[in-house]
Amino acid sequence: MTSYETILVGTHGRVGRITLNRPEALNALNSQVMRDVVAAAEAFDADEGIGAIVVTGSEKAFAAGADIKEMEQKSGREMIMDDHFGAWARFAAVRTPVIAAVSGYALGGGCELAMMCDIIVAGDTARFGQPEINLGVIPGMGGTQRLIRAVGAYVAADMVLTGRMLSADEAQRAGLVSRVVPAADLEAEAAKVAETIAAKSLPSVYAAKAALDAALETTLAEGLRFERHAFAALFDTADQKEGMAAFREKRQPDFTNR
Ligand code: CAA
C-alpha cells in the first residue's frame, strides 16, 4: 500500500481507513495533507474491494483547521491562482461512503472536512466550530454552505459569526453529528458503521449516496426524478434479485456487487 507523508492508511476487510497524522500541528490541513487525503480517498474509491472509508484524527484533534501558518502571508491572487482548497472537491466527490470519526477539535477546515463526509460519528470530547471569523476571514472549505444545510440557518450563523464551538451533544442535537459515543469507543463505533455499509451491495450504496447528494444540490422535482431513475436502474443488478430473493426465502442476502 502507498505510504504518505501526512496521513496513515490501512484497510480492515472492506473498510479503508485514513488517519490524519500531523500531531505537531493538531492535524492542521496544509496542502500536503490535502494532496495525501485526496490521493488515498481516490485510491480506495477506485478499489471494488473497499465498501466504506473511515477518516479520523487523533484523540486531541480531528483537525484544528486549515494550516494558518501556511496561508498567513499569501495574497488573494495567490489563493485564487493556487485554488488553495480546490482539490478538496475531489475528496467530497468520491462515490464510496465516508465516515468521519471525530475526537477532540474539528475546527475550521476540520469541521468542513467532517462535513464532506457522509456520516459523522463523534466521541464525547469532540468540539465543532468555524472560528475563521477570529482570524479576519470566513470559512473557505464549505463551512458557510454545508453547515447551513446540516444545522439550519440560525445555528450556522451563530457558529460562523461568533466562532463559538458546539460540544458533541450540541452538534448531535443540531443534526451535524449522527452518533455520539464515549471517546474510548469512537474507533469501534466508526468501524461498526463502516462495516455495516461495506457489507451492502456496492451499486446500491453508490446510488444511495448519489441520491442523497442530489437532494442537497437540486430542486425537489429533479431530486425525485434522479431517485426514481437510480431506483429503477438497480433492478438490472444481480444483487437486487439476490436481496429480494433472500427476503422471500427468509435468509441473509449474499451480495456480489454485480
Ligand atoms: N494551523 C496551523 N497550526 C496550528 C493550527 C492551525 N489551524 N491549529 C493548531 N496549530 C498548531 C499551533 O500553532 C501549535 O504549534 P506550536 O506548538 O508550533 O506553537 C500546535 O498546533 C498546538 O496548538 P496549540 O498550542 O494552540 O494547542 P492548544 O491546545 O493550546 O489549543 C486550539 C488548541 C484551540 C485548537 C488552537 O490550536 C487553535 O485555536 N487553533 C486554530 C483553530 C482555527 O482557527 N482554525 C481555523 C483555521 S482557518 C480555516 O480552517 C479556513 C478554512 O475554512 C479552510
Side-chain angles (χ1 to χ4, degrees), residues 23-26 28 60 64-69 71 85 105 107-110 112 130-132 135 137-141 165:
E24 71 287 358
L26 300 184
K60 181 165 181 192
D67 192 310
I68 299 168
K69 293 165 188 168
M71 292 184 293
F85 299 132
Y105 296 111
L107 301 179
E112 293 165 299
Q130 297 290 161
E132 290 88 344
L135 301 168
V137 292
I138 66 169
M141 275 170 56
M165 295 183 213

Side-chain angles (χ1 to χ4, degrees), residues 95-202:
R95 297 193 302 162
T96 310
V98 185
I99 292 99
V102 178
S103 182
Y105 296 111
L107 301 179
C111 185
E112 293 165 299
L113 175 61
M115 289 191 290
M116 287 177 214
C117 301
D118 301 290
I119 293 175
I120 302 178
V121 180
D124 53 10
T125 59
R127 308 197 62 192
F128 296 84
Q130 297 290 161
E132 290 88 344
I133 201 83
N134 300 325
L135 301 168
V137 292
I138 66 169
M141 275 170 56
T144 60
Q145 306 303 300
R146 290 199 175 91
L147 197 57
I148 216 159
R149 286 162 169 78
V151 302
Y154 297 95
V155 176
D158 187 0
M159 291 174 72
V160 170
L161 293 173
T162 71
R164 97 173 169 91
M165 295 183 213
L166 302 187
S167 67
D169 285 337
E170 277 181 291
Q172 185 179 35
R173 280 197 298 278
L176 180 59
V177 161
S178 320
R179 306 181 187 196
V180 179
V181 293
D185 300 338
L186 177 64
E187 191 178 329
E189 186 70 17
K192 193 172 87 184
V193 176
E195 279 158 19
T196 302
I197 295 169
K200 315 291 183 201
S201 167
L202 210 45

